[in-house]
Amino acid sequence: MRVFSGVQPTGNIHIGNYLGALKQFVALQDEGDCIYCIVDLHAITLPKEPKELKNHILDVAALYSAVGIDLKKSIVFVQSDVPGHAELSWILTCSSYTGELSRMTQFKDKAKGDESTPTGLFVYPALMAADILLYDADIVPVGNDQKQHIELTRDIAIRINNRLGDDTFVVPAGRFLKEGARVMALDDPTAKMSKSAESEMSRISLLDDDGKIKKAIMRSTTDSDGEIRYDIENKPGISNLLSIYSAFSGRSIESLEQGYAGQGYGTLKKDLVEVAVDALSPIRDRYAEIRHSGELKAALEDGAERANAIAERTMKRVRERFGLGR
Ligand code: AMP
Ligand code: TRP
């Protein structure tokens, strides 16, 4: 089984990214051959300061390692180091429809009908499809917000297979977790936790210190009925805290509800602070060890080489099927 996923090199990688995606990346290493990409070509769909982008690429690589991705066993690499992504992206763009791309909610949210929306934001899902199809991936671990993009990837793969032969592309499947797949903002549990929200209290970043973790959880928005119960509709704040607690600890929501029955929100929050700090402080330590090491740079070089070998094989097949080249 081949596994592929990617994270954009931006700052503020948060516990939503960790619980929805990165934790799956680590676990899947025991089940298949894993390829994890730092998708810098995706990051430039909105203008990025070049020096900052360079740093964020290494930040994400170091975080991959810090959360438990084995840089020797899995392939970890930077997207722009493998030219096949951009090439296949164009080919898939030509097999995608403007109608389906216009229906992507991430595009609609970001573009808001503005005429000066960068075109890259519009064709972003074709680049994501290229990432996945380039490696014949079977499984793509992601958070719930990527469901629509995975569906589109499958549609494009099936469309091309129907035209050019069933074995042109492997049709991938998304993998989503039960808890953690959609972590909400701590200060506004009706919005998704995001890297770009202005309020620092909306998220816990993986490198936040213990004080910040505590502050964000203790101040998180709840409700006034005082009952610890999972009910997304009526109690989004408490439901989000229970979900995060469950994802960090492995305890089921039901067991948490039973354990905290009759107790106050303060107790739940205090315990969650402890659970989060215990999970995040070792990640912070490992990150500090590897971020500026030669080991990290060597791993990315080796990753690029291994990824490129697989990508080139796919591209030969794809160019052939499409009749491209001399
Ligand atoms: P990105 O930072 O957009 O590259 O996202 C990296 C991964 O984190 C993707 O698999 C997303 O689906 C996942 N992700 C992002 N935000 C959240 C969230 N709030 N809850 C759960 N997963 C998320
Ligand atoms: N679009 C994804 C996100 O914003 C990142 C991504 C790019 C990705 N290419 C991918 C995820 C391929 C999985 C597979 O989160």
Side-chain angles (χ1 to χ4, degrees):
M1 181 177 83
R2 176 151 307 145
V3 177
F4 182 94
S5 195
V7 172
Q8 293 196 51
T10 49
N12 298 329
I13 303 278
H14 51 68
I15 58 169
N17 300 126
Y18 177 62
L19 298 174
L22 293 169
K23 242 182 65 170
Q24 299 201 69
F25 294 9
V26 176
L28 283 165
Q29 294 182 114
D30 296 327
E31 290 181 46
D33 298 325
C34 298
I35 307 179
Y36 298 125
C37 186
I38 300 150
V39 291
D40 55 348
L41 295 172
H42 279 92
I44 62 164
T45 47
L46 291 172
K48 288 278 154 12
E49 212 283 302
K51 272 208 192 89
E52 220 166 74
L53 178 59
K54 261 233 159 21
N55 277 323
H56 284 152
I57 289 170
L58 293 178
D59 293 346
V60 172
L63 270 177
Y64 272 168
S65 164
V67 298
I69 292 168
D70 181 335
L71 300 177
K72 294 218 160 66
K73 190 168 173 210
S74 297
I75 298 180
V76 170
F77 75 105
V78 181
Q79 188 181 30
S80 63
D81 276 342
V82 177
H85 292 259
E87 183 182 358
L88 185 57
S89 166
W90 173 251
I91 294 170
L92 300 183
T93 298
C94 295
S95 294
S96 65
Y97 302 141
T98 54
E100 59 193 359
L101 290 175
S102 313
R103 282 193 292 277
M104 295 293 117
T105 54
Q106 187 171 304
F107 171 71
K108 287 195 280 189
D109 287 349
K110 291 197 175 168
K112 297 197 179 82
D114 184 349
E115 289 235 343
S116 49
T117 300
T119 309
L121 216 50
F122 184 61
V123 296
Y124 176 115
L127 177 59
M128 176 161 162
D131 300 341
I132 298 167
L133 301 182
L134 195 50
Y135 297 95
D136 293 331
D138 303 290
I139 297 288
V140 186
V142 277
N144 274 357
D145 60 347
Q146 298 301 313
K147 248 183 195 157
Q148 212 186 12
H149 291 158
I150 305 282
E151 268 316 302
L152 180 71
T153 301
R154 292 170 54 88
D155 290 346
I156 294 174
I158 291 168
R159 184 176 302 150
I160 293 173
N161 283 357
N162 284 341
R163 195 163 77 84
L164 301 175
D166 259 354
D167 54 351
T168 309
F169 290 121
V170 171
V171 180
R175 177 166 304 184
F176 312 91
L177 289 176
K178 190 159 160 268
E179 301 305 334
R182 189 171 170 80
V183 174
M184 308 305 280
L186 293 169
D187 60 351
D188 173 10
T190 59
K192 194 180 67 169
M193 184 177 287
S194 88
K195 294 164 166 177
S196 56
E198 237 161 73
S199 159
E200 278 293 321
M201 288 302 140
S202 68
R203 64 183 157 258
I204 294 173
S205 297
L206 292 191
L207 301 176
D208 279 346
D209 61 31
D210 294 354
K212 161 69 200 303
I213 296 172
K214 184 171 178 194
K215 210 156 137 191
I217 293 175
M218 295 311 290
R219 285 193 190 174
S220 64
T221 302
T222 51
D223 54 62
S224 55
D225 82 7
E227 196 188 345
I228 296 180
R229 179 168 54 86
Y230 189 85
D231 176 351
I232 291 205
E233 230 19 35
N234 301 304
K235 298 170 67 63
I238 288 296
S239 303
N240 191 35
L241 295 182
L242 285 170
S243 241
I244 295 171
Y245 197 142
S246 167
F248 268 128
S249 67
R251 281 177 68 182
S252 71
I253 300 270
E254 297 74 40
S255 128
L256 290 171
E257 282 176 329
Q258 279 164 15
Y260 283 97
Q263 306 207 50
Y265 292 170
T267 311
L268 174 73
K269 286 180 171 179
K270 238 187 268 155
D271 290 355
L272 178 56
V273 170
E274 206 171 299
V275 166
V277 164
D278 282 352
L280 298 181
S281 65
I283 294 177
R284 225 186 296 143
D285 294 346
R286 282 197 298 270
Y287 174 87
E289 270 168 39
I290 193 154
R291 170 63 177 81
H292 297 284
S293 67
E295 185 192 342
L296 189 66
K297 291 206 169 122
L300 291 175
E301 205 165 307
D302 176 59
E305 217 168 279
R306 289 154 73 202
N308 209 22
I310 301 171
E312 239 338 283
R313 248 180 280 140
T314 309
M315 284 317 298
K316 270 211 181 88
R317 182 177 82 224
V318 171
R319 289 184 204 112
E320 180 76 33
R321 291 291 160 92
F322 276 82
L324 293 163
R326 272 174 281 132

